[in-house]
Structures are given as structure tokens and as C-alpha cells.
Amino acid sequence: MKKIFVLMMTVLLCFSLTACGEKVNIDFPFELSNVKNIEMFHFVVTKEAEKKVITESEDIEGIYQLFERISLKDKATEPVAGGSVTSFRFNLSDGTSYEVIYSAVAVKSGRIITTDMEKDYFTSADIGGNWDNYDYEAVAVSEDELPILPREEDSSQDTDALQWDRIPMVMVNDKLYYDTGEESIVEGRCGVMDGKITSSVDASEIPTEDNQSNFGTGFEYQYGDDDTIEIFMNEKWIVFEHREVTKNQVRFGDHMVDADKLSKKTLEWLEWYNSLSEEEQLAVSSIPSDLHDGLDFAGTEDAESLATE
């Protein structure tokens, strides 16, 4: 669960959109003399995260002053997928710690959030480049050790209340048919249609009436073999199959996953992922582990080609 939260923090940092140009500075609530050491973390994929422990006083001072000098802006940025995250944990002499998380949005700019900030801010400083500036041993770390900053949860919003795009489906003769993503191989098709989709609900909803879909109206269909229907869409016949397993499925690209098997954080991640363009989706380097486990193609070559975080 914690590693999913780390991914979600990365997504939130990259997606943050704000309206004004307010400038902000980091004002550490502790003195430089109180810093025992600084743990610096870096990753693109969380399972490959590394850490350096900064112990030399000169280097600690350099990092401390770096953050006090930089100017932050309350500025909108476009979402980015596959960016790096560089984090700093200031371990203090009183046994507490203070964390700074930087998420890259371009080669030399990104967004920063700290322990005492309520939201993240844009900076044009190349914070991520500091990973290579300090000659300390880089060691692998577990995802549980990565800095995370808690954010207030809305307890009134449970998983069932989230609005995500479900897998395309249609109700015919009181039965739900799910999109298989497969094109029909039937040749010499009869020209007489068996029905037509006449009403629709939102993409986040489940059809409840005959000839109703969650992807639009006007599509004609014919009955197929093995309890399927074939719908004529975009000049192709797409196979939809009846299933008794679950009505609670969500879209992941061209695949479908049972929502009951996914955490709330993963459902939020899916809502973000499905909002991306195909090119942006291809740039995403990791997916939540429970999503990977729930994929219909798990165990296939497609599943192996995706890196889980």
C-alpha cells in the first residue's frame, strides 16, 4: 500500500495545476547546525530506488543552502509520465526528520513539496541533477524506506464512490456483454441486424436497460457464437461476450480488470492513466502491483513487458 502511495505522490506532484504566480521560498524550521546527515533518494521506478547518505558538513551545508536559495512558483505545469523523483530526508539531532520531495517535469525543472507545505510548487532549479554531484556510495533501498508525505484523506469518499471509466459494456436481453477488444473473424456476414444500441449511460456507469451501453448510441449488432454479440463500431465488428463473473470492471488501456481486486489508490491511478494520450501511456514506466496481478493477461509476454512498481 505504501509503495502505491509513493507512486501516487509522484503522479500528484506532476499533475498539480495552480492558477496564480505566487512566489514561495523554503524556510527550514531548523538550523543547519541541527542536521546530523541527509539521506538522498533517487528513482524513476520505485523498485530500483537508491540512496546516498550525505555526512560531510560541507556537503550538508551545500544542500541546506540550495533549498533556502531557490525560488518556487505557484505555477501550472503539464502532466509528465516516467519522470524521476529525487528526495531528501534531513535527519536532525533531536531524532526527528524533515523531508523534501522533488519530481521532475522536464530536464531541468520540477515540482517540490516539503513536510510543512500544503501543496507542491514549481521550480526551475535542477534539483535532480544533485544526485550525481555528491560522490557517496549509492545503495539500493526498499520502497518502504522512501520519503512520503501524508495527505489528508476524504473519509467520506470510499472506493465505491470513485468515478472511473469502466470497460465498455452493453445490456441485451437483460444480460451484460463486455468488450473483449477482439475483432470478429466472421466472413460472409448476413446483412440483417439483430438490434441497435438506443441509449447510453456515462462511461463510469453500468447499463441497466436493454440496448443500453456505456460508450454511446447508434451502434448495430448481431448475435455471435458462444454467448457473444458483435457490434459494428468504427468500420469494424467488435466481439462482446457475456460474463457472470463481475459487473465491476475497469479499463486499463485496452485491458479490463476487476475493480474489487484493486485498492482505492490504484483506482485513482487508473483514472489518471486513462486520461493520458496513447503516447503518454507508453512512457509510463511502472504500474501498481495489485493492478499487474489483476490483469487478464498476467503471465503472458505482455505482462512481463510491464515494470511493476
PDB file of all heavy atoms in Angstrom, residues 43-57:
ATOM      1  N   PHE A  43      14.937   7.842  -7.858  1.00  0.00           N
ATOM      2  CA  PHE A  43      14.373   6.731  -8.615  1.00  0.00           C
ATOM      3  C   PHE A  43      13.532   7.247  -9.774  1.00  0.00           C
ATOM      4  O   PHE A  43      13.059   8.374  -9.777  1.00  0.00           O
ATOM      5  CB  PHE A  43      13.513   5.815  -7.729  1.00  0.00           C
ATOM      6  CG  PHE A  43      12.237   6.443  -7.222  1.00  0.00           C
ATOM      7  CD1 PHE A  43      11.073   6.411  -7.964  1.00  0.00           C
ATOM      8  CD2 PHE A  43      12.207   7.071  -5.980  1.00  0.00           C
ATOM      9  CE1 PHE A  43       9.900   6.983  -7.498  1.00  0.00           C
ATOM     10  CE2 PHE A  43      11.033   7.649  -5.504  1.00  0.00           C
ATOM     11  CZ  PHE A  43       9.877   7.600  -6.271  1.00  0.00           C
ATOM     12  N   VAL A  44      13.375   6.395 -10.755  1.00  0.00           N
ATOM     13  CA  VAL A  44      12.351   6.541 -11.785  1.00  0.00           C
ATOM     14  C   VAL A  44      11.288   5.486 -11.540  1.00  0.00           C
ATOM     15  O   VAL A  44      10.096   5.764 -11.526  1.00  0.00           O
ATOM     16  CB  VAL A  44      12.954   6.402 -13.196  1.00  0.00           C
ATOM     17  CG1 VAL A  44      11.851   6.438 -14.253  1.00  0.00           C
ATOM     18  CG2 VAL A  44      13.955   7.513 -13.463  1.00  0.00           C
ATOM     19  N   VAL A  45      11.739   4.255 -11.309  1.00  0.00           N
ATOM     20  CA  VAL A  45      10.869   3.157 -10.902  1.00  0.00           C
ATOM     21  C   VAL A  45      11.192   2.858  -9.445  1.00  0.00           C
ATOM     22  O   VAL A  45      12.351   2.654  -9.086  1.00  0.00           O
ATOM     23  CB  VAL A  45      11.116   1.902 -11.764  1.00  0.00           C
ATOM     24  CG1 VAL A  45      10.199   0.771 -11.340  1.00  0.00           C
ATOM     25  CG2 VAL A  45      10.927   2.223 -13.238  1.00  0.00           C
ATOM     26  N   THR A  46      10.198   2.833  -8.578  1.00  0.00           N
ATOM     27  CA  THR A  46      10.465   2.747  -7.138  1.00  0.00           C
ATOM     28  C   THR A  46      11.220   1.490  -6.736  1.00  0.00           C
ATOM     29  O   THR A  46      11.996   1.512  -5.787  1.00  0.00           O
ATOM     30  CB  THR A  46       9.149   2.818  -6.351  1.00  0.00           C
ATOM     31  OG1 THR A  46       8.242   1.807  -6.818  1.00  0.00           O
ATOM     32  CG2 THR A  46       8.485   4.170  -6.513  1.00  0.00           C
ATOM     33  N   LYS A  47      11.012   0.407  -7.458  1.00  0.00           N
ATOM     34  CA  LYS A  47      11.707  -0.822  -7.075  1.00  0.00           C
ATOM     35  C   LYS A  47      13.204  -0.743  -7.373  1.00  0.00           C
ATOM     36  O   LYS A  47      13.976  -1.585  -6.913  1.00  0.00           O
ATOM     37  CB  LYS A  47      11.099  -2.031  -7.778  1.00  0.00           C
ATOM     38  CG  LYS A  47      11.319  -2.085  -9.280  1.00  0.00           C
ATOM     39  CD  LYS A  47      10.759  -3.366  -9.862  1.00  0.00           C
ATOM     40  CE  LYS A  47      11.028  -3.471 -11.360  1.00  0.00           C
ATOM     41  NZ  LYS A  47      10.516  -4.736 -11.918  1.00  0.00           N
ATOM     42  N   GLU A  48      13.621   0.272  -8.133  1.00  0.00           N
ATOM     43  CA  GLU A  48      15.038   0.462  -8.438  1.00  0.00           C
ATOM     44  C   GLU A  48      15.610   1.679  -7.701  1.00  0.00           C
ATOM     45  O   GLU A  48      16.655   2.203  -8.064  1.00  0.00           O
ATOM     46  CB  GLU A  48      15.221   0.634  -9.952  1.00  0.00           C
ATOM     47  CG  GLU A  48      14.780  -0.591 -10.752  1.00  0.00           C
ATOM     48  CD  GLU A  48      14.875  -0.375 -12.247  1.00  0.00           C
ATOM     49  OE1 GLU A  48      15.253   0.749 -12.669  1.00  0.00           O
ATOM     50  OE2 GLU A  48      14.583  -1.315 -13.007  1.00  0.00           O
ATOM     51  N   ALA A  49      14.929   2.128  -6.653  1.00  0.00           N
ATOM     52  CA  ALA A  49      15.356   3.314  -5.905  1.00  0.00           C
ATOM     53  C   ALA A  49      16.706   3.089  -5.223  1.00  0.00           C
ATOM     54  O   ALA A  49      17.029   1.979  -4.775  1.00  0.00           O
ATOM     55  CB  ALA A  49      14.300   3.683  -4.871  1.00  0.00           C
ATOM     56  N   GLU A  50      17.505   4.175  -5.147  1.00  0.00           N
ATOM     57  CA  GLU A  50      18.803   4.141  -4.486  1.00  0.00           C
ATOM     58  C   GLU A  50      18.892   5.290  -3.473  1.00  0.00           C
ATOM     59  O   GLU A  50      18.139   6.252  -3.536  1.00  0.00           O
ATOM     60  CB  GLU A  50      19.933   4.270  -5.514  1.00  0.00           C
ATOM     61  CG  GLU A  50      20.042   3.085  -6.457  1.00  0.00           C
ATOM     62  CD  GLU A  50      21.195   3.249  -7.428  1.00  0.00           C
ATOM     63  OE1 GLU A  50      21.263   4.308  -8.092  1.00  0.00           O
ATOM     64  OE2 GLU A  50      22.039   2.328  -7.505  1.00  0.00           O
ATOM     65  N   LYS A  51      19.859   5.140  -2.575  1.00  0.00           N
ATOM     66  CA  LYS A  51      20.039   6.153  -1.536  1.00  0.00           C
ATOM     67  C   LYS A  51      21.515   6.448  -1.338  1.00  0.00           C
ATOM     68  O   LYS A  51      22.365   5.557  -1.415  1.00  0.00           O
ATOM     69  CB  LYS A  51      19.443   5.656  -0.209  1.00  0.00           C
ATOM     70  CG  LYS A  51      19.661   6.600   0.964  1.00  0.00           C
ATOM     71  CD  LYS A  51      19.064   6.066   2.248  1.00  0.00           C
ATOM     72  CE  LYS A  51      19.913   4.942   2.835  1.00  0.00           C
ATOM     73  NZ  LYS A  51      19.448   4.550   4.186  1.00  0.00           N
ATOM     74  N   LYS A  52      21.832   7.732  -1.085  1.00  0.00           N
ATOM     75  CA  LYS A  52      23.146   8.151  -0.642  1.00  0.00           C
ATOM     76  C   LYS A  52      22.978   8.857   0.705  1.00  0.00           C
ATOM     77  O   LYS A  52      22.014   9.604   0.894  1.00  0.00           O
ATOM     78  CB  LYS A  52      23.778   9.125  -1.645  1.00  0.00           C
ATOM     79  CG  LYS A  52      24.084   8.530  -3.016  1.00  0.00           C
ATOM     80  CD  LYS A  52      24.678   9.591  -3.950  1.00  0.00           C
ATOM     81  CE  LYS A  52      24.985   9.004  -5.317  1.00  0.00           C
ATOM     82  NZ  LYS A  52      25.554  10.032  -6.245  1.00  0.00           N
ATOM     83  N   VAL A  53      23.897   8.619   1.634  1.00  0.00           N
ATOM     84  CA  VAL A  53      23.843   9.296   2.930  1.00  0.00           C
ATOM     85  C   VAL A  53      24.919  10.369   2.958  1.00  0.00           C
ATOM     86  O   VAL A  53      26.119  10.072   2.933  1.00  0.00           O
ATOM     87  CB  VAL A  53      24.039   8.299   4.087  1.00  0.00           C
ATOM     88  CG1 VAL A  53      23.943   9.044   5.427  1.00  0.00           C
ATOM     89  CG2 VAL A  53      22.994   7.188   4.024  1.00  0.00           C
ATOM     90  N   ILE A  54      24.481  11.618   2.976  1.00  0.00           N
ATOM     91  CA  ILE A  54      25.398  12.763   2.952  1.00  0.00           C
ATOM     92  C   ILE A  54      25.830  13.070   4.386  1.00  0.00           C
ATOM     93  O   ILE A  54      24.996  13.414   5.237  1.00  0.00           O
ATOM     94  CB  ILE A  54      24.718  13.999   2.333  1.00  0.00           C
ATOM     95  CG1 ILE A  54      24.037  13.627   1.003  1.00  0.00           C
ATOM     96  CG2 ILE A  54      25.716  15.123   2.160  1.00  0.00           C
ATOM     97  CD1 ILE A  54      24.958  13.051  -0.038  1.00  0.00           C
ATOM     98  N   THR A  55      27.136  12.938   4.649  1.00  0.00           N
ATOM     99  CA  THR A  55      27.638  13.093   6.024  1.00  0.00           C
ATOM    100  C   THR A  55      28.645  14.230   6.188  1.00  0.00           C
ATOM    101  O   THR A  55      28.824  14.739   7.296  1.00  0.00           O
ATOM    102  CB  THR A  55      28.305  11.782   6.481  1.00  0.00           C
ATOM    103  OG1 THR A  55      29.329  11.420   5.534  1.00  0.00           O
ATOM    104  CG2 THR A  55      27.281  10.656   6.562  1.00  0.00           C
ATOM    105  N   GLU A  56      29.321  14.636   5.120  1.00  0.00           N
ATOM    106  CA  GLU A  56      30.316  15.701   5.234  1.00  0.00           C
ATOM    107  C   GLU A  56      29.610  17.042   5.479  1.00  0.00           C
ATOM    108  O   GLU A  56      28.646  17.386   4.788  1.00  0.00           O
ATOM    109  CB  GLU A  56      31.159  15.784   3.962  1.00  0.00           C
ATOM    110  CG  GLU A  56      32.017  14.556   3.706  1.00  0.00           C
ATOM    111  CD  GLU A  56      33.128  14.416   4.735  1.00  0.00           C
ATOM    112  OE1 GLU A  56      33.548  15.462   5.309  1.00  0.00           O
ATOM    113  OE2 GLU A  56      33.580  13.279   4.972  1.00  0.00           O
ATOM    114  N   SER A  57      30.104  17.783   6.460  1.00  0.00           N
ATOM    115  CA  SER A  57      29.456  19.047   6.851  1.00  0.00           C
ATOM    116  C   SER A  57      29.371  20.036   5.691  1.00  0.00           C
ATOM    117  O   SER A  57      28.375  20.760   5.548  1.00  0.00           O
ATOM    118  CB  SER A  57      30.206  19.681   8.029  1.00  0.00           C
ATOM    119  OG  SER A  57      31.565  19.917   7.703  1.00  0.00           O
TER     120      SER A  57
END
